């Protein structure tokens, strides 16, 4: 039995279904490596922060004291905790989707970038509500918000326009 003819290639030669490959660049490489390195570093930083900074505050009861004495500071700590959990879990999920070449990777990456930006905005306003924070700390939070906005814009455009992403994540 002859394999099904998929289409004609540019030279007019028949291309059979078992010989068919997507045209253009595909596979894990290029800027996807940079994005993946960023995910790995984000995971490491978030996991370290959770273990070294956030967990001891909850374990010692410090957070409960913040909520009773300084509600705005307690809310800021809660936003910080949610952010670290988000940055610890999402890179693992995206890494799995990336290496399994799932179509959901593109959509989840864009959602991750946009949610990351939303978390940065919420964190900035949570820090802004705490009058006890130093002004240089707030300048750093604003700088992080702007950096996150630019990063989210660039990577979102990459995932929307990239031929490599379109050809690789099809399953």
């Amino acid at each position: 039995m002859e394999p099904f003819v998929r289409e004609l290639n540019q030279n007019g030669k028949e291309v059979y279904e078992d010989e068919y490959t997507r045209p253009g660049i595909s596979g894990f490489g290029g800027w996807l490596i940079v994005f993946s390195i960023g995910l790995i570093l984000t995971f490491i930083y978030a996991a370290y922060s959770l273990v070294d900074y956030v967990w001891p505050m909850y374990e010692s009861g410090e957070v409960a004291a913040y909520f009773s004495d300084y509600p705005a500071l307690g809310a800021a700590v809660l936003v910080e905790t949610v952010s670290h959990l988000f940055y610890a879990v999402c890179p693992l999920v995206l890494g799995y989707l990336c290496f399994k070449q799932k179509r959901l990777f593109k959509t989840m990456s864009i959602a991750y970038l946009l949610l990351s930006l939303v978390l940065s905005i919420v964190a900035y306003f949570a820090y802004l509500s705490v009058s006890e924070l130093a002004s240089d700390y707030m300048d750093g939070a604003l700088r992080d918000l702007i950096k996150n906005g630019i990063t989210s814009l660039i990577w979102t455009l990459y995932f929307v326009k990239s031929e490599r992403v379109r050809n690789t994540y099809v399953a």
Side-chain angles (χ1 to χ4, degrees):
M1 184 167 146
E2 192 170 317
F4 176 75
V5 176
R6 184 70 176 231
E7 62 184 42
L8 298 177
N9 68 7
Q10 292 174 348
N11 300 331
K13 181 183 171 202
E14 293 178 340
V15 178
Y16 295 98
E17 189 171 328
D18 57 345
E19 300 171 351
Y20 184 74
T21 58
R22 289 189 163 277
I25 58 174
S26 66
F28 183 75
W31 289 105
L32 283 174
I33 294 173
V34 176
F35 184 74
S36 297
I37 290 170
L39 288 176
I40 292 167
L41 293 175
T42 299
F43 169 75
I44 291 170
Y45 175 74
Y48 174 77
S49 294
L50 282 170
V51 170
D52 195 51
Y53 170 68
V54 176
W55 181 255
M57 282 193 331
Y58 282 94
E59 199 172 45
S60 69
E62 214 175 319
V63 175
Y66 287 152
F67 272 109
S68 63
D69 297 338
Y70 307 102
L73 186 58
V77 170
L78 185 62
V79 167
E80 190 76 17
T81 303
V82 169
S83 295
H84 286 304
L85 287 171
F86 174 78
Y87 290 125
V89 172
C90 283
L92 293 176
V93 172
L94 288 175
Y96 172 79
L97 294 173
C98 178
F99 290 111
K100 289 293 189 173
Q101 295 186 347
K102 299 289 185 181
R103 183 181 311 204
L104 192 57
F105 173 72
K106 177 181 172 181
T107 306
M108 291 297 289
S109 294
I110 293 171
Y112 165 77
L113 293 165
L114 296 177
L115 284 172
S116 175
L117 181 60
V118 167
L119 274 174
S120 294
I121 292 168
V122 169
Y124 176 74
F125 284 111
Y127 301 150
L128 198 60
S129 68
V130 179
S131 60
E132 291 85 14
L133 291 178
S135 64
D136 56 338
Y137 184 81
M138 288 306 301
D139 291 342
L142 180 61
R143 192 171 37 252
D144 287 345
L145 174 62
I146 292 169
K147 180 185 75 167
N148 199 346
I150 292 169
T151 302
S152 295
L153 176 69
I154 290 170
W155 282 114
T156 299
L157 290 173
Y158 170 75
F159 280 106
V160 169
K161 296 286 185 178
S162 173
E163 180 183 350
R164 178 181 300 276
V165 171
R166 186 174 40 255
N167 289 341
T168 301
Y169 299 100
V170 295

